[in-house]
Each structure stands twice: as C-alpha cells, then as structure tokens.
Amino acid sequence: MKIDYQKELNGEQLKAVLEGDGRCLVISGPGSGKTRTLVYRVAYLLEKGVDPENILLVTFTKKAASQMLSRVEALLGFRPQGLLGGTFHHIANLFLRRYATFAGYKNDFGILDEDDSKNLIAGIMEEMQITKSAYPNFPKAVMVQEVLSLAQNTRKPMKEVVDSQFSYLELADGEIDKLSQILGRYNEKKKEQNLMDYDDLLINWQNILKDNGEVRQKISERFQYVLVDEYQDTNVIQEGMVELMAETHKNIMAVGDDAQSIYSFRGADIEHILNFSKKYPDAKVYKIETNYRSIPEILDVANESIRHNYGQIRKTLRAVKNIGRKPKVFLLESATKEAEFVSSTVARMRSQGEDLNKIAVLFRGRHSASELELALAKHSIAYLMRGGMKFFEQQHIKDTLAFLRALTNNKDQTAWERVLRLFDGVGPAAAGKIFLRIYSLNSREGINDEALLKDLALMAPNRAKEGMITLGKIIKGASLAQKEKASDYISKIIFCWLDDFYAQYLKVSFPDAPERIEDVHELSKLSLDYGSIADMLSAMTLSEEFEGEVYENGQKGQAITLSTIHQAKGLEWNTVFIIGLKEGSFPHGKSVDDLNFLEEERRLFYVAITRCKENLYITYPMMDWKRKGDQASKPSRFLKEIQSAVEEVNMLSGDPWGESQGYKPHYRGEPSAFRQMRESAPKENPKHKQQFSSKNRLGDFGVFGSDWKKISQDQRYDKSEYNSEDGDEIIHY
C-alpha cells in the first residue's frame, strides 16, 4: 500500500521529506515531529527505488536507531533488508572490522571498556612514577581518562581542554605536560596490544576516511543518502565522518535544533549546525516549526527566553493545541519553602486524581533536589530519580554521613572503615587494624581522645601516614566544633571534613567533582535543621529507606519524575516544575562572564520549558544559604527575560491556591516583590553582542541586537531532545 505523504505529514514535514536531496539542514523544534520526518524520509527514499544498502541513518543512541527502523518497517509493511542504522561508534566499529589495517591495527582488534581503559592509564602513571607523594594534586586515573577523552574528541591542545573544562584541578604547566605524555604513551600501548577504546573507534575511522582515498571512495559511493539525527550534538570528529562518508553523492540530511545544543562538556560543537549553510552554500534549510506538544502559552515563554541568544537560527514555534493556562513564576522565601511548595502542590494534584507519572520536577544541578526529596518523603509521594541515584544514595553523600557516624560512635566499624579507605595507602587490612585501636577506646571520650589522634599515624602503613595525620586534624577540628554546641555545629563539622580533605579527594577522583562538592555543601545546609548529629542521621536514613509505596486511596504504581534538565531532554510531561531559578545556580556561576557558556545555559532553560505540555511552574527562592548564613539571592536573569509571558505569584504571603489564611495577592500600587526581583536581576553584558558579532552571521544566522524588544514575533525560536550513547550493537537489516 502506497503511503499518502500529503495526508500524513504537515506542509513543513512534507517539504523536507520530498525535497531533501543534496545537502539539507532540517531545523526541527521540540514536539514538532523530528523522528516522524526522518522515518518518512527513509520510507520515501525506499519507495522511490533507492536500495536499502545505499541509505545510512546515524543516531546518538541505539534506542533511537531501533525505534526509527522499527517505524520504517511498520510504515512500509516489510523489513528493508540492508538498511543500516546505528550510533556513530557502532557504525565506525562495523567498518573498522574491515579496514582497521589502514590505521595500523588488525581487524580483530579488541575494545577497551571504561574500566580497562582506566586500568591501562593507571599502569602508565605508575611507570612514569606519577605518585601521590611526587604529585600530590595530580588527578587519579579515572580523571585523567576524562581529560584525555575530551582532548581527543575535540582535537584541542591539552592546556586548552584543562583550562576550559577542568580548571578546578589547578594544574601547573608541568603537570599538563605530564597529561600529554600519558596520552602519547596510552595510544602507543593500545596499538601495541591491538586495542581501541571508544574514542579510537571514531578517531581511527575518520582518519582512514580522510587519509585513504580508495576506502573513502568505496564507502561514499555506497551511501547515496546519509541522514543524521541530533546534528547539533556532533563533535568535530563525528562531523568529519559524516562529510567524508557522503563525499560522492553529497546527500546529507542533517536534522537537529541549535536551540537544544547543551552538550559542549562532551565535546559537542554548536558551530556545526550554525555554520552548516556557510560551509555548504548550496545547502537547503527546512524549518519544522509546528509544535504538537505544548500549549501556546508555554511556547511564548520558550520563545521569549531563547530570543536573547545572539547565536541561533531564526524560527517560530506555532502551537497546534488550544489556548491554556499561563505559566506561573512563584517567588518563595527559601529552598526549604520551595521544596514544601512543590511537594504540597503535587500532593494536592494527587488528591484531585491527577496521574503522578505525568508530573516532573526539573533542576540545573543534582544538589537542588536534596530538600525536595525529604519533603516528598514527608508527603508519601513516590518519585523516580532519572539518570542517577537519589541524593542520599550517592557515594560522596554516604562518605560524608559515614564520617559523621564515625565521629559519634567508636563502635561503628562500617562507617570507620569506609572513611579510612578513602585515604591513600589504607586498604582493607590497614583499615581493620586501625579500627580495632579505635574500638579499644570505647570506654573513653570517643574520638576526642588525644591518644587516638596520635595513634592514627603510628598505626598506618608508611604510604598512609600523611593521610592519617590529616584525618587526625579533621577529627580535632570537628571535636572543637562539637564542643561549641552552636546551632550550626554540624555544618562546621562537614566543612572541616570538606576543606581539610574531602574536596581535594573529589577533585582528583571524579570528573564531576564541582557538582559533588556542591552536593556536600547542600548537605551542610540541610544539617542546619537538626539539633544533633543523631537526629540528622535518623532523618536521612528514613528518607533513604522511603520507597514511596504509600498512596492515597490505595493507588500504587505512580511516581513523579525528578531529573536534571540534561537527563530530561527528549521527554515530556503534562506538568513540569522548574526549580532553583537563582543567579549562580541557573545560569551556573561559571557562565556569567562567558557568552558561549551563558547561551548554552539559556538553551538548557529552553529545553526545560519545552518538556511541558500544559502546566508549567517555575520557582525562585529569595534566600540563599551560604557558609556564613542565609543571604538574599539574586533572581536568575532568565526570569527577567520571560516576565511578559508568565504570571507572577508572590508566595511570601501564602499559597497560590487560596487555601491558606495568609494568601494575599498583590494589587495595583502595592510594592511588588517581583518588581524588586526584576530590578535586581543581572544586566546583560554589552561585550556579549560584540563577542558574537565577530562571527559575522547573516540572514538566517543573523545576530540579534541588544534591543530585543523590537524583534518581531516571526523571529522566535525552539528545541527538541537527546540521549547519551547507549546499547551494544548495530541495528542492521
């Protein structure tokens, strides 16, 4: 049965499907049917008589490839044998099995997983005598692995990579040189052993295509049509692969959305999609701007926000859905009040019969959800943490809580051994020996005992003596904080732990160390609500054990979703809360002086907004907890940018539903907290315009001036989805 494309596609989709020969850029906004367009394009080519073996579909996830190919099969009514679809890595692996010899490998090369790669790097560091004593601040193998990977995927000098993405390591030039030496030796060893890591799959395949004309011709002659999903997320190597594999026929359909480019930390380069027409002057640009997901009011907010980015492709999202409710921005006193507001609002929705599975809470950083998790547990609201563990299940939080447990209980062997093994040179045997000494002091005054502080270093192996001296200092500092009996003494103890040891441990051990340190800061903030360590540990344990199995009216099987915005990309919910809209958190503090980072933060906000179908709630906590106590936080500049498209609700006086006695809406002439909020919002940096203008983008790639209020409605913009690479094999018919 022949497909009726005119009936089944809207005009924008139809144009891309029927006319997509040559080099084409398809800008597809969120909820606009990006996958549908790709699927129908493949089906159209097959119906035209193109051999399935001459079509290549490249995606970022195995799941995306599988879904698209399944939909093609369902649409056609048969399985197109030979149609090749898969991730960049899997496609590279497939062809390297035939052509690896051109890169100096045998075709039966092995593939290192992340653990294998880490262990190989650790061995090289040992050979180079890069030890803790010689280089105290040098990152561990797992961190070195991250740095080397990003350097290779971006093809940037090591120093540039470290300075831009890993500046918190505070490495000297000599230490950066050591990283380059490790990379060189690492690549040598892999080749000697006929091994590749995941990065090598892309690098070697692109190099073969670039350097061997015979292979390039054979591959590019085969693939008459190359279709690429999520083109905005390509790195320099992936972009090069696509260009080379399409060299003969020059039929590239690049599908994506510049407004959803949020993965620069993985090496993705937005310039690939922004400069597509510049690189290929004959390229056709199609815009799919009809949105089937969100009500018009939500699209207004998204468009108001993204229009402030200088670097973008102009487009207008148009809603198919009827007019709904205007999104709300809630001004709240603190993060605690914010968490209580979200959880009580969800509880209210649950009592009214709303499906919890259709509700999500999104946030910029993982630590933003800590208080919310506690509040949800109090209301017996089940939740799923997308893309990661719950706050109190994370290693760094468990480590810190273990330190607090050990501090108050000489007999807690599990806690003590967990803490001790964090220090270099302390293995299971040494930890057990040290614990026995600690246990023997149970009749005295616990860890305040001076003998214990002296014995820690004496009992430790030579490699661990320095670490045990440090631990002794931490314990002494914590003991002094305990004696103060101040309301913030638990917080002071956590900072002793963090400042004297644990922050540096995280920096050299984990690529996401800044986020983990923020989490520990958040734990310190939470501790202010408890009068004793025992009370705090009890509350945290109960929260950790909460499974969310208690539902009203006997309902089970429902849970709201908690997610970072990065993990939420590509998904949708009826109701979405976006929390923590304060300057320094969202946008992140490191972005405010860098236009590229700032614009990516705004794109991230855009992604969050466009996950919502109907009910959008955005929250701003006025008070921000700092080390020296509560301080007024500045509202996110993103709130000022959307003020005309949202309804503002002052929650300092009550709740928005009119159910609390104290709720009083603001009236005309009354001092408005929101007006103050807007006035205090950070101003746009005038250098940003100049910075971006230097790229000389014109026409569809034009630069917006600072007088953005004069920009017409037809110059607004959009977004879509992304998933990180997953799966284990090529989808191959």
Side-chain angles (χ1 to χ4, degrees):
M1 182 177 172
K2 205 168 178 65
I3 301 168
D4 188 342
Y5 294 94
Q6 292 190 349
K7 182 179 179 181
E8 298 185 28
L9 301 171
N10 67 35
E12 298 164 338
Q13 297 165 340
L14 183 66
K15 199 172 180 66
V17 168
L18 302 186
E19 302 176 8
D21 285 0
R23 295 185 177 103
C24 301
L25 178 64
V26 181
I27 302 298
S28 183
S32 65
K34 169 181 67 69
T35 301
R36 185 177 185 84
T37 302
L38 276 169
V39 166
Y40 274 78
R41 175 62 181 170
V42 173
Y44 176 73
L45 293 174
L46 293 171
E47 280 199 340
K48 268 192 7 176
V50 178
D51 192 315
E53 292 190 355
N54 298 141
I55 299 173
L56 174 63
L57 176 61
V58 190
T59 66
F60 274 84
T61 68
K62 177 193 170 185
K63 181 180 178 182
S66 180
Q67 288 178 343
M68 287 186 194
L69 293 175
S70 296
R71 288 176 63 174
V72 169
E73 180 180 348
L75 194 58
L76 294 171
F78 65 89
R79 175 171 291 191
Q81 299 294 328
L83 177 61
L84 179 61
T87 66
F88 282 97
H89 289 87
H90 295 142
I91 289 168
N93 178 56
L94 177 71
F95 289 115
L96 283 169
R97 294 300 173 185
R98 302 179 199 174
Y99 301 111
T101 54
F102 292 100
Y105 288 82
K106 296 179 181 178
N107 291 342
D108 62 348
F109 61 87
I111 298 177
L112 293 168
D113 62 22
E114 289 189 4
D115 283 340
D116 295 332
S117 174
K118 181 191 69 176
N119 292 335
L120 182 56
I121 290 170
I124 293 168
M125 291 171 65
E126 189 173 345
E127 290 175 6
M128 295 174 61
Q129 297 183 334
I130 300 175
T131 62
K132 187 71 176 176
S133 57
Y135 300 91
N137 297 323
F138 201 85
K140 295 182 179 180
V142 65
M143 270 295 303
V144 172
Q145 181 185 34
E146 287 290 324
V147 177
L148 303 189
S149 177
L150 189 60
Q152 295 203 102
N153 276 295
T154 58
R155 296 195 184 277
K156 291 180 178 178
M158 191 67 69
K159 182 171 174 54
E160 184 179 341
V161 169
V162 171
D163 289 345
S164 64
Q165 297 290 345
F166 303 96
S167 59
Y168 60 86
L169 292 173
E170 299 178 341
L171 298 179
D173 288 348
E175 293 170 317
I176 295 174
D177 289 340
K178 288 290 183 186
L179 287 171
S180 298
Q181 294 170 28
I182 293 170
L183 176 58
R185 186 63 183 131
Y186 177 57
N187 287 333
E188 289 172 4
K189 279 186 173 287
K190 286 184 292 182
K191 187 165 285 190
E192 289 170 2
Q193 300 175 40
N194 198 36
L195 296 170
M196 295 188 198
D197 61 20
Y198 295 134
D199 296 332
D200 291 327
L201 296 175
L202 302 185
I203 293 166
N204 287 325
W205 179 230
Q206 194 218 17
N207 286 340
I208 291 171
L209 290 169
K210 183 173 60 177
D211 299 335
N212 192 289
E214 184 180 344
V215 174
R216 181 171 68 251
Q217 183 179 358
K218 187 172 182 178
I219 297 299
S220 67
E221 283 182 351
R222 170 183 169 179
F223 293 121
Q224 187 178 348
Y225 292 93
V226 179
L227 300 91
V228 187
D229 190 22
E230 304 290 1
Y231 193 76
Q232 78 278 354
D233 295 322
T234 54
N235 63 32
V236 64
I237 299 169
Q238 292 161 337
E239 186 212 28
M241 284 172 56
V242 171
E243 182 180 15
L244 293 166
M245 288 191 293
E247 184 179 79
T248 299
H249 301 286
K250 298 180 173 45
N251 289 318
I252 301 174
M253 176 171 279
V255 181
D257 184 6
D258 60 290
Q260 297 189 84
S261 180
I262 58 174
Y263 293 99
S264 64
F265 64 92
R266 293 179 180 168
D269 191 345
I270 191 175
E271 297 296 318
H272 297 157
I273 194 168
L274 291 180
N275 289 333
F276 192 89
S277 292
K278 184 177 179 181
K279 183 174 182 178
Y280 306 115
D282 61 338
K284 292 175 281 189
V285 178
Y286 300 100
K287 299 176 186 178
I288 304 178
E289 302 167 298
T290 303
N291 178 284
Y292 295 91
R293 174 184 299 161
S294 307
I295 60 174
E297 291 82 358
I298 290 173
L299 298 185
D300 287 343
V301 177
N303 291 336
E304 281 297 315
S305 177
I306 201 64
R307 68 192 283 185
H308 289 76
N309 273 9
Y310 296 118
Q312 59 179 294
I313 300 173
R314 300 181 181 183
K315 52 192 173 292
T316 303
L317 284 181
R318 296 180 296 272
V320 171
K321 289 186 174 181
N322 295 325
I323 294 174
R325 290 185 290 184
K326 202 169 188 178
K328 292 181 171 66
V329 173
F330 295 94
L331 177 65
L332 296 134
E333 181 181 347
S334 64
T336 302
K337 296 291 186 182
E338 180 181 57
E340 179 57 32
F341 163 70
V342 172
S343 56
S344 61
T345 301
V346 172
R348 177 180 178 275
M349 297 168 86
R350 179 180 60 184
S351 69
Q352 295 176 342
E354 295 198 33
D355 187 348
L356 297 188
N357 296 321
K358 297 180 179 180
I359 301 172
V361 184
L362 308 182
F363 32 84
R364 172 63 179 86
R366 178 65 189 78
H367 63 278
S368 301
S370 58
E371 295 209 53
L372 179 59
E373 289 186 52
L374 291 171
L376 290 170
K378 290 179 184 177
H379 286 272
S380 297
I381 297 171
Y383 64 94
L384 301 173
M385 182 62 69
R386 179 170 173 78
M389 292 182 287
K390 297 177 179 180
F391 184 80
F392 299 104
E393 294 174 350
Q394 299 176 106
Q395 175 184 327
H396 47 290
I397 298 300
K398 283 183 172 289
D399 287 347
T400 304
L401 292 176
F403 174 68
L404 293 176
R405 286 166 49 195
L407 202 63
T408 55
N409 185 1
N410 281 5
K411 299 180 181 180
D412 193 335
Q413 183 174 358
T414 303
W416 271 109
E417 290 191 355
R418 182 178 187 118
V419 170
L420 291 166
R421 291 182 66 178
L422 293 172
F423 292 84
D424 284 328
V426 180
K433 179 183 175 182
I434 295 171
F435 171 73
L436 289 176
R437 171 61 176 154
I438 294 168
Y439 182 82
S440 71
L441 298 171
N442 67 73
S443 62
R444 308 185 194 178
E445 290 299 317
I447 63 158
N448 297 327
D449 193 283
E450 290 291 330
L452 171 60
L453 301 181
K454 293 177 182 178
D455 284 356
L456 282 173
L458 295 174
M459 292 183 293
N462 288 333
R463 287 180 56 199
K465 289 188 182 299
E466 187 177 342
M468 291 301 96
I469 292 171
T470 299
L471 179 58
K473 291 179 180 177
I474 299 170
I475 290 173
K476 194 167 185 177
S479 299
L480 291 173
Q482 276 188 295
K483 289 177 180 178
E484 291 180 12
K485 292 298 179 183
S487 59
D488 62 345
Y489 86 95
I490 307 175
S491 175
K492 290 181 178 179
I493 291 172
I494 294 173
F495 275 113
C496 284
W497 163 252
L498 192 64
D499 289 351
D500 293 343
F501 165 70
Y502 198 58
Q504 184 60 27
Y505 168 82
L506 293 173
K507 287 178 182 179
V508 301
S509 302
F510 300 102
D512 60 346
E515 288 75 20
R516 292 174 185 252
I517 292 171
E518 283 191 74
D519 285 346
V520 181
H521 282 166
E522 182 68 17
L523 183 66
S524 179
K525 182 185 79 171
L526 293 175
S527 73
L528 297 173
D529 293 332
Y530 302 95
S532 70
I533 294 176
D535 289 345
M536 175 181 168
L537 292 173
S538 296
M540 304 297 176
T541 303
L542 290 172
S543 173
E544 187 179 334
E545 293 175 349
F546 171 68
E547 299 293 337
E549 295 179 349
V550 180
Y551 296 85
E552 293 184 6
N553 303 320
Q555 291 180 310
K556 291 190 177 184
Q558 291 189 19
I560 68 169
T561 297
L562 307 187
S563 177
T564 64
I565 301 168
H566 284 99
Q567 289 288 338
K569 191 169 180 288
L571 304 176
E572 61 183 29
W573 295 270
N574 281 357
T575 298
V576 171
F577 297 83
I578 309 173
I579 65 174
L581 265 292
K582 60 183 180 180
E583 198 74 6
S585 293
F586 200 5
H588 195 278
K590 73 176 185 179
S591 72
V592 295
D593 295 321
D594 189 298
L595 177 65
N596 293 325
F597 281 137
L598 180 59
E599 297 213 337
E600 182 159 330
E601 289 288 291
R602 189 176 284 109
R603 294 194 294 270
L604 192 62
F605 184 47
Y606 180 87
V607 168
I609 295 166
T610 54
R611 299 311 91 202
C612 185
K613 294 181 179 181
E614 297 179 359
N615 306 306
L616 178 61
Y617 305 129
I618 303 171
T619 60
Y620 160 58
M622 284 193 68
M623 301 304 295
D624 190 16
W625 182 84
K626 303 292 184 185
R627 190 164 177 174
K628 295 182 180 179
D630 286 341
Q631 299 177 13
S633 63
K634 290 184 178 180
S636 169
R637 65 191 67 201
F638 300 155
L639 293 178
K640 180 181 179 182
E641 294 168 357
I642 63 171
Q643 59 184 301
S644 64
V646 298
E647 179 182 341
E648 301 165 340
V649 183
N650 185 353
M651 289 290 292
L652 301 179
S653 307
D655 73 72
W657 316 118
E659 296 174 352
S660 298
Q661 289 182 342
Y663 176 59
K664 297 177 182 178
H666 279 293
Y667 294 100
R668 187 173 298 178
E670 189 177 350
S672 172
F674 281 91
R675 187 183 70 225
Q676 298 170 24
M677 179 179 75
R678 289 192 293 270
E679 291 173 350
S680 65
K683 304 296 188 295
E684 181 182 33
N685 187 341
K687 293 182 180 178
H688 286 174
K689 180 184 176 183
Q690 300 170 8
Q691 182 179 344
F692 224 98
S693 298
S694 64
K695 299 184 179 181
N696 294 320
R697 297 201 177 96
L698 303 173
D700 272 342
F701 303 86
V703 176
F704 290 126
S706 59
D707 191 9
W708 55 266
K709 291 184 179 180
K710 295 180 180 178
I711 298 172
S712 61
Q713 291 289 323
D714 63 2
Q715 296 174 334
R716 299 184 180 177
Y717 316 2
D718 72 276
K719 252 199 188 202
S720 169
E721 67 185 48
Y722 177 97
N723 308 298
S724 147
E725 175 110 20
D726 62 5
D728 48 28
E729 82 264 5
I730 292 279
I731 310 299
H732 191 196
Y733 289 154

